[in-house]
Amino acid sequence: MAGAVRWRLAALFICTLLATPAFAQTGAVTARSVAQADNGNWEMPGKNVAATRFSAMREITPANVRNLRVAFTASTGINRGHEAPPLVIGGTMYLVTPFPNKLIALDLTKPGAPTKWVFNPKPPTAAQGVACCDVVNRGAVYANGRLFFNTLDGRTVAVDARSGKLAWQTKLGDIQRGETMTMAPTVANGKVIVGNSGGEMGVRGWIAALDTGSGRVVWKAFNTGPDKDVLIGPRFRPFYAMDRGKDLGVKTWPPGAWKIGGGSVWGWVSYDPQLRLIYYGTGNPGPWNPEQRPGDNKWTTGVFARDVDTGQAVWFYQSTPHDLYDHDDINEIILVDMPVAKRMRPVLLRPARNGFFYVHDRRTGQLLSAKPYSYMNVAKGIDPHTGRLIPVPEKEPKVGRVVRNICPAAPGAKDWNPAAFSPITGVVYIPHINLCMDMGALEANYIAGTPYVGADVKMYAGPGGNRGVFTAWDPVHARKVWEFKEDLPLWSPALATAGGLVFYGTMDGWFKAIDQRNGKLVWQFKTGSGIIGQPISYRGPDGHQYVAVMSGVGGWAGAIVAGKLDPRDGTAALGFVNAMKDLPARTDAGGMLYVFTLPR
Amino acid sequence: MSSPCRASLALAAVALLGGCDREERDSRGQPVTETVPAGATADTIYPGGPSGSTVTLSPKAAAYENNAYHIAQGQQLYGQMNCVGCHAHGGGGMGPALIDDEWRYGGRIEQIATTIVEGRPNGMPSFRGKLTDTQIWELAAYVRAMSGQVRKDAVGARTDEPSNTPPLTQTRREPIVPGEDATP
């Protein structure tokens, strides 16, 4: 059995932490060219710059996971959505909270992991009003003795990991114009890569690289506007004709609309150190009402590859030209090496918001495959020659009429919460959602610092009645390996381990472990609040494997609880409340860290 | 009496029994008031104030509050000024719910008007200079209508939006101050 062979070889690879060139010839999928060997830490949300969310630790397995129990817990004292992962560096764990974005250091070497220090960046309270979908933060990143993270009011801060003292801070976003920062930075080649949020507030999206030492802006690229602002120059070679042309960031918009056109960067940035390219997706165009922005609305809802040192664009692929449904393209980008037509190729994998699982050659942007991994009725497919999404015309929202049964809904087939990839199985584990919506378009007015949306939305469960889905996807053959339903939308990312498990959480507070082979539930624990946080695994100071996750419901899906919204109005939280009316009866707010290990 | 009122009287006199003043509209002469209270106290957040519901509605505020024309204007402004983007149709989102029975800064029309003019610390923008005082009163009247505070014959039976939010005529009245009698 090829699978068994692959398993064994890969296990060998993990044990020895070697990168023997011969391994590639087995045909297994690896992230070897990008991911570092596992040192037992968890230093960035995606685990590595390839964003695999894979831990090489194997102590906890399907056979013994039923003994898993709580090692310690810690409260953050905050009642908003906790989307960030704990980070572990040596004997210290770091938590970054939702607004007010405290950074908490816990001493793992002492019983009960007491607090070492708390860093409070004190963002102004007004910032809360312009955070579109709860006041979340998606995490910090560690490099060279410092932690880097963003604050809701638009600062990137660097904090000394030992002392908890501010090393530098750089103000980048302006809440007066609706700009916040919620994404987790990526550190690549001595630079902290960050971007803005605010696609619902008429911001102009950008990504910037700051020097890790000083916080100085090395480069900044906008995702709309003239080529010189977008850092499009001689190196730019998009694979498809639809993405070629001069100043498309201006010409694919009505006059001036690009200045408030969105394309924010609130998701994930991956990095290939060999190609020296960063990869990230851009957010939705604004306003949601598509009639106000005829054209392809470049460079929104697509993927950029940029040179890490200069920011110069190398390629771009627009997943959703002229987005109709808020299908941001900001989801995680997993970098792996995988056989395509019997030849190993450096690819990137994208379980995208619009419901397609994309595989691109990461050197050129060429589309190698794009298959739906979730239910959809708004797109017929992707033209293999032009690379262009083929929309279903009847589903186009128009002013003055409500279009019903749009699937997937605004949060897409999957929102921000990343999938995990195991190089042992070669499978991508995707926690995602099954929601449809009714949408009516309205004329939106731009008023700085207020929403620029122009849509009335109501969401509800898609076919089958389940709001969540967990899908294991084989990227080589572009097909499902297994899948199961979850009642509530899955808003928590996945963690895959070499022990053969996948961990994820549900919005009513269950933290679950499933068997990678078949998706069977093998362990679960009920935490105090709904889980939308990123699970991680690390080696503790005692040499043993731990699994950790933040509990604390919120985010867009959980805004009904975190923001105490009124379920009688289904359009609340941009229409998400309609699909979540039962949530307040099933969980309540409250940020709490849970750490698990096997009994000894 | 204004002409729309006379026309509707002719068409549906029964429905309008006693409801005529709800359509009152000062198209000529002085607007109802040009001053928005600069600091109507938020009686639900400051302890130590006078006990009981001591806030009395000024006659001018009352003129907006139960006036169908002003409420309808307020509803349009609520969409045009992007209140709807943050508060949805009262259920909330980036901002708190406005149809529930919890008021952080007070639910009387003066207090709501103050909220709109001044803004509030946790992210409510100030609309000072962006709206006329009349418009602010109209918005405040509409916000009150969303939680059922105004007379049922003064609110529109259907909304202007294409969405299917329940009509204001069916909105249950929510108490303004905790413990207060919710029946109008």
Side-chain angles (χ1 to χ4, degrees), chain A residues 480-498:
Chain A
K480 272 173 202 168
V481 183
W482 47 256
E483 180 172 286
F484 62 88
K485 295 174 181 179
E486 276 281 0
D487 178 23
L488 291 164
L490 289 178
W491 212 253
S492 124
L495 159 73
T497 69

Short mmCIF file of all heavy atoms in Angstrom, two decimals, chain A residues 480-498:
data_model
loop_
_atom_site.label_atom_id
_atom_site.label_comp_id
_atom_site.label_asym_id
_atom_site.label_seq_id
_atom_site.Cartn_x
_atom_site.Cartn_y
_atom_site.Cartn_z
N LYS A 480 -11.65 14.79 -1.77
CA LYS A 480 -11.88 14.60 -0.34
C LYS A 480 -11.38 13.24 0.10
O LYS A 480 -11.60 12.25 -0.61
CB LYS A 480 -13.39 14.65 -0.05
CG LYS A 480 -13.87 16.04 0.21
CD LYS A 480 -15.37 16.09 0.32
CE LYS A 480 -15.81 17.52 0.02
NZ LYS A 480 -17.23 17.67 -0.18
N VAL A 481 -10.78 13.18 1.28
CA VAL A 481 -10.39 11.89 1.84
C VAL A 481 -11.51 11.43 2.78
O VAL A 481 -11.97 10.30 2.71
CB VAL A 481 -9.06 12.01 2.61
CG1 VAL A 481 -8.61 10.66 3.14
CG2 VAL A 481 -7.99 12.62 1.72
N TRP A 482 -11.95 12.31 3.65
CA TRP A 482 -13.13 12.09 4.47
C TRP A 482 -13.70 13.44 4.87
O TRP A 482 -13.06 14.47 4.67
CB TRP A 482 -12.85 11.22 5.69
CG TRP A 482 -11.64 11.56 6.52
CD1 TRP A 482 -10.45 10.90 6.53
CD2 TRP A 482 -11.48 12.67 7.44
NE1 TRP A 482 -9.56 11.52 7.38
CE2 TRP A 482 -10.17 12.60 7.96
CE3 TRP A 482 -12.31 13.69 7.87
CZ2 TRP A 482 -9.67 13.52 8.89
CZ3 TRP A 482 -11.83 14.62 8.80
CH2 TRP A 482 -10.52 14.51 9.30
N GLU A 483 -14.90 13.40 5.41
CA GLU A 483 -15.55 14.64 5.80
C GLU A 483 -16.62 14.34 6.84
O GLU A 483 -17.22 13.27 6.81
CB GLU A 483 -16.21 15.25 4.56
CG GLU A 483 -16.94 16.55 4.81
CD GLU A 483 -17.41 17.19 3.50
OE1 GLU A 483 -16.56 17.72 2.78
OE2 GLU A 483 -18.61 17.13 3.21
N PHE A 484 -16.82 15.24 7.77
CA PHE A 484 -17.96 15.08 8.68
C PHE A 484 -18.56 16.44 8.98
O PHE A 484 -17.93 17.48 8.77
CB PHE A 484 -17.57 14.32 9.95
CG PHE A 484 -16.53 15.01 10.79
CD1 PHE A 484 -16.88 15.93 11.75
CD2 PHE A 484 -15.18 14.71 10.62
CE1 PHE A 484 -15.91 16.57 12.53
CE2 PHE A 484 -14.20 15.34 11.38
CZ PHE A 484 -14.57 16.27 12.33
N LYS A 485 -19.81 16.41 9.47
CA LYS A 485 -20.54 17.64 9.72
C LYS A 485 -20.36 18.09 11.17
O LYS A 485 -20.21 17.27 12.06
CB LYS A 485 -22.03 17.42 9.48
CG LYS A 485 -22.37 17.12 8.05
CD LYS A 485 -23.83 16.78 7.92
CE LYS A 485 -24.14 16.45 6.46
NZ LYS A 485 -25.55 16.08 6.28
N GLU A 486 -20.42 19.39 11.36
CA GLU A 486 -20.48 19.97 12.70
C GLU A 486 -21.70 20.88 12.72
O GLU A 486 -21.97 21.57 11.74
CB GLU A 486 -19.22 20.80 12.98
CG GLU A 486 -18.03 20.00 13.48
CD GLU A 486 -18.14 19.65 14.96
OE1 GLU A 486 -19.13 20.04 15.60
OE2 GLU A 486 -17.21 18.99 15.46
N ASP A 487 -22.40 20.92 13.82
CA ASP A 487 -23.60 21.75 13.89
C ASP A 487 -23.27 23.23 13.73
O ASP A 487 -23.82 23.93 12.90
CB ASP A 487 -24.32 21.49 15.22
CG ASP A 487 -25.56 22.36 15.36
OD1 ASP A 487 -26.07 22.81 14.31
OD2 ASP A 487 -26.00 22.61 16.49
N LEU A 488 -22.32 23.72 14.54
CA LEU A 488 -21.99 25.14 14.52
C LEU A 488 -20.88 25.41 13.51
O LEU A 488 -20.09 24.52 13.19
CB LEU A 488 -21.54 25.58 15.93
CG LEU A 488 -22.66 25.58 16.97
CD1 LEU A 488 -22.09 25.62 18.39
CD2 LEU A 488 -23.59 26.76 16.75
N PRO A 489 -20.80 26.64 13.01
CA PRO A 489 -19.72 26.96 12.08
C PRO A 489 -18.37 26.70 12.75
O PRO A 489 -18.22 26.96 13.95
CB PRO A 489 -19.88 28.46 11.83
CG PRO A 489 -21.27 28.80 12.22
CD PRO A 489 -21.66 27.81 13.29
N LEU A 490 -17.42 26.17 12.01
CA LEU A 490 -16.08 25.99 12.58
C LEU A 490 -15.31 27.28 12.38
O LEU A 490 -15.03 27.69 11.26
CB LEU A 490 -15.38 24.80 11.93
CG LEU A 490 -15.98 23.45 12.33
CD1 LEU A 490 -15.27 22.30 11.62
CD2 LEU A 490 -15.93 23.25 13.84
N TRP A 491 -15.01 27.92 13.49
CA TRP A 491 -14.31 29.22 13.46
C TRP A 491 -12.93 29.07 14.11
O TRP A 491 -12.23 30.03 14.34
CB TRP A 491 -15.16 30.28 14.18
CG TRP A 491 -15.01 31.66 13.62
CD1 TRP A 491 -14.33 32.70 14.21
CD2 TRP A 491 -15.54 32.17 12.40
NE1 TRP A 491 -14.41 33.82 13.41
CE2 TRP A 491 -15.15 33.53 12.29
CE3 TRP A 491 -16.31 31.62 11.36
CZ2 TRP A 491 -15.50 34.34 11.20
CZ3 TRP A 491 -16.66 32.44 10.28
CH2 TRP A 491 -16.25 33.77 10.21
N SER A 492 -12.58 27.86 14.49
CA SER A 492 -11.26 27.62 15.08
C SER A 492 -10.39 26.90 14.05
O SER A 492 -10.88 26.07 13.30
CB SER A 492 -11.41 26.76 16.34
OG SER A 492 -10.62 25.58 16.26
N PRO A 493 -9.11 27.26 14.00
CA PRO A 493 -8.20 26.59 13.08
C PRO A 493 -7.92 25.15 13.53
O PRO A 493 -8.36 24.73 14.58
CB PRO A 493 -6.93 27.43 13.18
CG PRO A 493 -7.37 28.73 13.76
CD PRO A 493 -8.49 28.39 14.67
N ALA A 494 -7.18 24.42 12.70
CA ALA A 494 -6.82 23.05 13.01
C ALA A 494 -5.33 22.96 13.35
O ALA A 494 -4.54 23.81 12.97
CB ALA A 494 -7.14 22.15 11.83
N LEU A 495 -5.00 21.90 14.10
CA LEU A 495 -3.61 21.56 14.41
C LEU A 495 -3.43 20.10 14.06
O LEU A 495 -4.22 19.26 14.47
CB LEU A 495 -3.35 21.78 15.91
CG LEU A 495 -2.17 21.03 16.52
CD1 LEU A 495 -0.85 21.66 16.07
CD2 LEU A 495 -2.25 21.03 18.05
N ALA A 496 -2.41 19.76 13.27
CA ALA A 496 -2.11 18.36 12.97
C ALA A 496 -0.83 17.97 13.69
O ALA A 496 0.09 18.79 13.82
CB ALA A 496 -1.96 18.17 11.47
N THR A 497 -0.78 16.73 14.18
CA THR A 497 0.43 16.30 14.89
C THR A 497 0.97 15.02 14.27
O THR A 497 0.23 14.26 13.63
CB THR A 497 0.14 16.03 16.38
OG1 THR A 497 -0.68 14.85 16.47
CG2 THR A 497 -0.56 17.18 17.05
N ALA A 498 2.26 14.80 14.50
CA ALA A 498 2.89 13.58 13.99
C ALA A 498 2.36 12.35 14.71
O ALA A 498 2.51 11.22 14.24
CB ALA A 498 4.41 13.67 14.15
#
